[in-house]
Amino acid sequence: TAAYQASLRLNPANADSHYNMGVTLANIGRRNEAAPAYREAIRLNPRHPEAHCNLASLLREQGQYVESLALYRRGHELG
């Protein structure tokens, strides 16, 4: 995560860096920290299909099915 943190310090408006931070956090088991990273990627780039779908997966795991379904749908529309 250190590399993405450094990248975000240099360019906090980089949606892909937020997305990649979310992927990394999810992969190392820090799934609760991944969700805000995906949300920020979506805020910065609302047309980022992978961020929508990855956030949807996290929310589905947490039982937030309504928001999860909406994010999956949006992600698939974009992708």
Side-chain angles (χ1 to χ4, degrees):
T1 62
Y4 293 119
Q5 289 171 344
S7 173
L8 289 168
R9 277 192 298 277
L10 294 172
N11 185 2
N14 185 321
D16 287 332
S17 290
H18 286 280
Y19 168 76
N20 289 327
M21 176 66 93
V23 170
T24 300
L25 290 167
N27 286 339
I28 62 173
R30 293 165 55 183
R31 300 178 80 67
N32 287 340
E33 295 173 63
Y38 292 138
R39 288 188 190 281
E40 184 65 4
I42 292 167
R43 186 186 73 76
L44 293 167
N45 178 6
R47 300 193 56 78
H48 198 301
E50 295 89 355
H52 282 83
C53 290
N54 285 16
L55 179 56
S57 293
L58 289 178
L59 294 177
R60 185 192 71 228
E61 291 172 5
Q62 297 171 353
Q64 297 179 40
Y65 302 115
V66 174
E67 186 178 3
S68 174
L69 182 59
L71 285 162
Y72 273 130
R73 284 183 178 149
R74 183 65 180 143
H76 287 281
E77 288 170 2
L78 294 170

